[in-house]
Amino acid sequence: MQEKIWGEVVKIKNSLSKPRKLALCGFMGAGKTSVFNRLRHEKYDHNYFFADSDALILKSMGYPSIKEIVGKLGWSKFRELEQQIISDLVRGESSLVLSLGGGSLNNSIMRMFSEEGVVLVWLKAGFEDLLLRASLNQGGRPLLKEKTRGELLELYQERRKYYSEADIIIDNKSLEEAVDIIKGYLE
Ligand code: S3P
């Protein structure tokens, strides 16, 4: 099913009832953290456990930034921690709003989301806009320093195969519009 909201198409899969578990995905700079924070501040945290995978990785390891974790432990350890934290949250919480790091999706996470009834929301935006917004916070995004523009574009294209499987795709909306759309799916 496709629904028209404010004149632009937002993809929403058929038969979506109010989910108990919702996860925000998208490339760096998509606005996941801003949307997540707005939802939390609008008091949805009475009904859902709110979790940000990056923040939990830092907390669990006692590091101040992703840059430091990756610098000390490397990307593969970071990805391992990320997978573990997401899987613990999704399997362990009964009501969850989860903000995902941009590189966290893979086949096994997607399978688990579908088993656990997680509704995945993709905050979609053009690559140029994403890069511009992502560069405003480089500390949490060491990839921006490590990779060339061309490599980042390649990464974005590879990841789109997962993002585009989302149940709700919010295409190029303002923060307010995105928050309003998602609120329609929360209790
Ligand atoms: C990453 C995105 C970051 C963070 C880490 C790796 C990625 O999160 O998890 O720097 O691989 O795209 P955001 O998507 O919240 O920036």
Side-chain angles (χ1 to χ4, degrees), residues 28 32 54 66 75 78-79 82 101-103 140-143 159:
M28 294 175 280
K32 293 162 291 188
D54 283 348
I66 306 272
W75 276 111
F78 174 80
R79 294 297 177 206
E82 186 175 49
R141 295 162 172 149
L143 277 180
R159 291 175 178 178

Side-chain angles (χ1 to χ4, degrees), residues 82-95:
E82 186 175 49
Q83 300 294 296
Q84 192 57 53
I85 274 172
I86 294 170
S87 146
D88 289 350
L89 282 164
V90 167
R91 295 198 193 281
E93 296 296 331
S94 54
S95 295

Side-chain angles (χ1 to χ4, degrees), residues 24-32 100-105 120-125 130 156 159 163:
L24 302 172
C25 76
F27 203 64
M28 294 175 280
K32 293 162 291 188
L100 296 164
S104 56
L105 296 181
L120 188 62
V121 181
W122 177 19
L123 301 178
K124 184 179 177 189
L130 290 166
Y156 176 57
R159 291 175 178 178
Y163 301 154

Side-chain angles (χ1 to χ4, degrees), residues 16 19 23 29-30 43 50-52 64 66 68 85 89 118 120 125-126 128 133 142 146 152 154 164 167 169 174 185:
L16 266 187
K43 302 279 180 257
F50 272 70
D52 174 314
I66 306 272
E68 289 206 33
I85 274 172
L89 282 164
V118 175
L120 188 62
E128 294 303 329
R133 292 199 299 242
E146 289 174 20
L152 288 168
E154 225 170 89
S164 60
D167 303 286
I169 298 177
S174 68
Y185 289 90

